[in-house]
Amino acid sequence: EQELESIAQIEALLSEDELKAAAAGITETGISGLDYVSCTYRAGYSEEVYYATLRYAGGEDGLTLSITLNAETGELVGIRGYSNNYTSAPELTEAQALELAQAFAGKYANDEYAKVDSDTELSSEPEEDGYYSDYYFVFLRQENGIKYPANYISVTVDRLSGNILGYSNNWDDSVTFRSPDGIISAGEAF
């Protein structure tokens, strides 16, 4: 009986072509300039959800990109991208990259993004030794004006193209928060 349930669930998964179409719709990654490599399905930890990871490669900088989708709905779960170009100076400012990251998080994690502190401080720290990393932003969950760092959305923006190279939505909707009434200030705690 359990095997029949699993078979029925697997039959409900999106096809490789349907998943490729869903990934192609995430235009902020620059996926259109890359070659499709593979698709891998896997069960989630709870085994109630299945995921598909599509891999792409190519471009001038040897970019590899993995896009993970919910294999039943096509919803974006995560992005991981790597480039071989770490010596070209950024063409985007950190402020421009932050705007792109905020727009992306708002589009693909709208419900969660509405609960984050999106006023991320920019680093303004220069790179050392002629190597440049891409822009990485973390938006922390905020409840009742208090940050909850266990839940966050992270977005990595390519410093040259502005494409999204990384995305993660680490969120737990089952967490409940008590009222902040009566909480002492940081100064009082100190």
Side-chain angles (χ1 to χ4, degrees), residues 95-119:
Q96 290 169 322
L98 176 59
E99 286 182 24
L100 293 170
Q102 290 168 328
F104 188 84
K107 180 177 179 181
Y108 291 97
N110 188 35
D111 292 342
E112 295 87 353
Y113 186 70
K115 295 181 179 180
V116 302
D117 177 13
S118 62
D119 292 331

Side-chain angles (χ1 to χ4, degrees), residues 63-137:
L63 178 66
T64 59
L65 189 68
S66 295
I67 299 177
T68 301
L69 305 171
N70 179 313
E72 294 177 60
T73 65
E75 179 182 353
L76 176 62
V77 174
I79 299 172
R80 293 178 62 190
Y82 303 97
S83 170
N84 293 328
N85 185 348
Y86 292 103
T87 56
S88 296
E91 293 184 14
L92 290 173
T93 66
E94 191 172 6
Q96 290 169 322
L98 176 59
E99 286 182 24
L100 293 170
Q102 290 168 328
F104 188 84
K107 180 177 179 181
Y108 291 97
N110 188 35
D111 292 342
E112 295 87 353
Y113 186 70
K115 295 181 179 180
V116 302
D117 177 13
S118 62
D119 292 331
T120 303
E121 291 184 23
L122 302 180
S123 69
S124 73
E125 294 180 16
E127 299 291 334
E128 296 179 16
D129 301 329
Y131 290 95
Y132 299 91
S133 59
D134 293 310
Y135 297 112
Y136 177 73
F137 303 100

Side-chain angles (χ1 to χ4, degrees), residues 1 15 21 40 58 92 96 98 112 118 121 138 142 160 188:
E1 189 174 307
S15 71
T40 306
L92 290 173
Q96 290 169 322
L98 176 59
E112 295 87 353
S118 62
E121 291 184 23
V138 177
Q142 188 168 299
L160 298 173
E188 291 171 311

Side-chain angles (χ1 to χ4, degrees), residues 23 26-38 53-58 62-68 78-83 156 163-167:
I26 307 170
T27 57
E28 298 89 345
T29 61
I31 195 172
S32 62
L34 301 176
D35 297 321
Y36 174 73
V37 176
S38 66
T53 300
L54 292 94
R55 291 179 177 78
Y56 297 83
L63 178 66
T64 59
L65 189 68
S66 295
I67 299 177
T68 301
I79 299 172
R80 293 178 62 190
Y82 303 97
S83 170
T156 304
N163 290 332
I164 303 301
L165 291 182
Y167 167 78

